[in-house]
């Protein structure tokens, strides 16, 4: 077998089709050409989280049997995939497949590839939305939990029977939100089901690009449920204007607590490209404990789209005394 230097090269050599999904911040598809640029270290990984790239690769060959790898690869100081880690994983792939990349994938091979230092287990919600997206995009039948979720959101069974629902069934419905029937099911859930169902739906919707009808209902729910605002805020992640409006409102009342600050960094981070919102965010972050400030700032400054604005904010002469002190503590921690 020729020397393999990237996952894309391996799959192409094996005549295997594949798709890549980021599972670090929001579950989202990564284009094959973009992933090739990432693998060739021509650009940083776009959605880093805690110094790593967390992504899933689903692949299949002529037998139409689908396989999934969940990979967590460290990033270097430039945000590029670690070449050493990638090569180590590729070496394990080559060992598992031997000299024939076109060989059928046996259970033993899959087991060997599943037990390696670069594997990780996504959260239940991320795995559910990932599975739902893959099933939809590859025209695979929905999960066994889908019919019950449809019956519940169609108001055919009592609303207090929500504990019987599975996250996978709700995810199967949410990924079909552009279909009018499924969108109405989601609206039924948001407008009539208990808060627990609202939260579960939001945890699915935060990974999807929503239209105005859903976004407006979620915005209204956020205003009416400020105690659970982080879930509704995260579900607005696909809308920078509404996310921005929500953060400004929440900052005024009841204030940006740790849960909301984490939510913004994890899901709504695109709003921080705006200077005034980054300032609001950093000023609120500076009121938290120093170690929390350091951790969250390190997380957002690693996002390629935010790096320049975050570094510029460190030099802003208009920052408050509180933020200046927090930045001083950050510098002290990084140089000690």
């Amino acid at each position: 077998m020729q020397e393999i230097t990237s996952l894309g090269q391996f799959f192409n050599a094996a005549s295997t089709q594949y798709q890549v999904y980021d599972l670090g911040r929001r579950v989202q598809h990564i284009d094959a050409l973009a992933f090739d640029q990432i693998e060739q270290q021509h650009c940083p990984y776009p959605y880093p989280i805690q110094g790593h790239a967390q992504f899933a690769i689903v692949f299949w060959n002529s037998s139409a049997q689908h396989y999934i790898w969940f990979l967590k690869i460290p990033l270097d100081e430039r945000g590029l995939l670690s070449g050493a880690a990638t090569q180590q994983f590729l070496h394990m792939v080559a060992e598992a497949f031997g000299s024939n990349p076109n060989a059928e994938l046996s259970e033993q091979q899959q087991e060997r590839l599943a037990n390696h230092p670069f594997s990780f287990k996504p959260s239940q919600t991320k795995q559910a939305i990932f599975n739902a997206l893959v099933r939809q995009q590859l025209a695979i039948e929905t999960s066994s939990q889908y019919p019950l979720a449809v019956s519940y959101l169609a108001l055919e069974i009592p609303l207090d029977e929500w504990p019987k629902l599975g996250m996978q069934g709700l995810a199967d419905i949410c990924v079909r939100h552009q279909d009018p029937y499924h969108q109405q099911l989601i609206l039924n859930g948001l407008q009539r089901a208990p808060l627990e169902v609202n939260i579960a739906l939001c945890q699915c919707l935060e990974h999807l690009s929503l239209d105005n009808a859903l976004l407006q209902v979620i915005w209204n729910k956020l205003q009416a449920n400020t105690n659970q605002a982080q879930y509704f805020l995260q579900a607005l992640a696909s809308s920078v204007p509404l996310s921005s409006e929500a953060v400004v409102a929440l900052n005024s009342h009841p204030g940006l607590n740790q849960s909301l600050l984490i939510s913004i960094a994890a899901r709504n981070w695109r709003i921080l490209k705006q200077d005034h919102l980054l300032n609001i965010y950093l000023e609120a972050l500076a009121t938290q404990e120093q170690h929390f400030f350091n951790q969250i700032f390190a997380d957002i400054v690693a996002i390629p789209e935010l790096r320049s604005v975050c570094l510029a904010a460190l030099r802003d002469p208009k920052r408050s005394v509180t933020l200046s002190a927090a930045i001083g503590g950050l510098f002290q921690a990084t140089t000690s």
Side-chain angles (χ1 to χ4, degrees):
M1 185 171 74
Q2 69 183 83
E3 182 181 3
I4 300 296
T5 59
S6 71
L7 289 165
Q9 184 183 0
F10 170 78
F11 290 124
N12 290 332
S15 299
T16 298
Q17 299 183 68
Y18 69 99
Q19 292 189 8
V20 184
Y21 294 80
D22 177 66
L23 268 68
R25 295 185 182 275
R26 298 173 67 211
V27 178
Q28 52 194 319
H29 182 256
I30 299 178
D31 179 78
L33 292 177
F35 188 68
D36 178 67
Q37 293 295 299
I38 293 168
E39 284 208 276
Q40 298 302 325
Q41 295 189 318
H42 292 162
C43 61
Y45 191 78
Y47 315 115
I49 188 163
Q50 297 177 347
H52 288 77
Q54 293 184 9
F55 56 94
I57 299 181
V58 55
F59 58 99
W60 63 99
N61 52 26
S62 57
S63 68
Q65 175 68 48
H66 294 82
Y67 303 92
I68 298 172
W69 292 341
F70 294 112
L71 298 178
K72 182 177 180 180
I73 305 294
L75 304 172
D76 66 17
E77 66 280 356
R78 299 167 296 172
L80 303 175
L81 284 181
S82 167
T86 304
Q87 288 305 310
Q88 183 180 345
F89 177 70
L90 285 170
H91 179 70
M92 289 186 287
V93 169
E95 282 191 336
F97 282 84
S99 59
N100 182 11
N102 294 296
E104 289 292 329
L105 301 172
S106 69
E107 290 185 9
Q108 184 178 9
Q109 289 170 325
Q110 284 299 305
E111 184 176 352
R112 290 177 65 182
L113 287 173
N115 298 309
H116 59 78
F118 306 112
S119 66
F120 79 102
K121 184 177 181 179
S123 68
Q124 179 190 14
T125 304
K126 285 182 179 177
Q127 187 154 344
I129 202 73
F130 165 72
N131 288 338
L133 285 169
V134 169
R135 286 173 180 270
Q136 182 193 38
Q137 294 177 3
L138 301 183
I140 301 172
E141 186 178 358
T142 55
S143 73
S144 60
Q145 297 178 12
Y146 171 78
L148 178 61
V150 168
S151 295
Y152 181 87
L153 295 179
L155 309 176
E156 295 171 353
I157 58 179
L159 292 176
D160 61 3
E161 293 190 12
W162 64 266
K164 296 180 180 179
L165 298 176
M167 184 63 79
Q168 187 63 64
L170 295 176
D172 289 336
I173 291 172
C174 286
V175 300
R176 292 165 173 79
H177 65 91
Q178 294 180 333
D179 168 66
Y181 174 69
H182 288 89
Q183 182 173 113
Q184 187 58 55
L185 293 177
I186 298 167
L187 290 171
N188 289 347
L190 289 171
Q191 294 170 331
R192 302 186 63 175
L195 181 61
E196 291 85 354
V197 177
N198 275 222
I199 290 173
L201 288 170
C202 285
Q203 289 175 321
C204 294
L205 296 172
E206 67 191 37
H207 301 286
L208 306 170
S209 295
L210 308 180
D211 65 16
N212 289 332
L214 281 172
L215 288 168
Q216 191 58 54
V217 170
I218 294 167
W219 169 236
N220 293 339
K221 298 291 290 189
L222 183 151
Q223 293 175 298
N225 294 274
T226 54
N227 289 337
Q228 301 292 340
Q230 68 266 29
Y231 299 106
F232 297 102
L233 175 61
Q234 289 175 190
L236 295 174
S238 62
S239 171
V240 169
L242 277 181
S243 293
S244 301
E245 188 175 352
V247 168
V248 171
L250 290 169
N251 184 58
S252 297
H253 179 76
L256 299 180
N257 58 27
Q258 287 196 2
S259 294
L260 289 169
L261 292 167
I262 291 171
S263 293
I264 295 166
R267 302 288 186 266
N268 309 78
W269 55 267
R270 287 184 175 87
I271 70 169
L272 301 180
K273 290 190 288 184
Q274 304 169 75
D275 290 341
H276 71 288
L277 283 164
L278 179 61
N279 181 66
I280 288 173
Y281 185 81
L282 291 179
E283 290 289 352
L285 188 63
T287 65
Q288 306 295 322
E289 296 88 347
Q290 185 67 54
H291 72 90
F292 185 80
F293 179 92
N294 296 353
Q295 182 181 28
I296 298 298
F297 187 86
D299 185 55
I300 62 173
V301 77
I303 300 173
E305 289 185 60
L306 296 184
R307 183 168 179 80
S308 61
V309 292
C310 285
L311 293 177
L314 297 181
R315 302 185 295 271
D316 183 4
K318 298 179 182 178
R319 63 179 184 261
S320 70
V321 173
T322 301
L323 179 55
S324 296
I327 292 172
L330 173 69
F331 285 144
Q332 183 177 4
T334 55
T335 56
S336 60

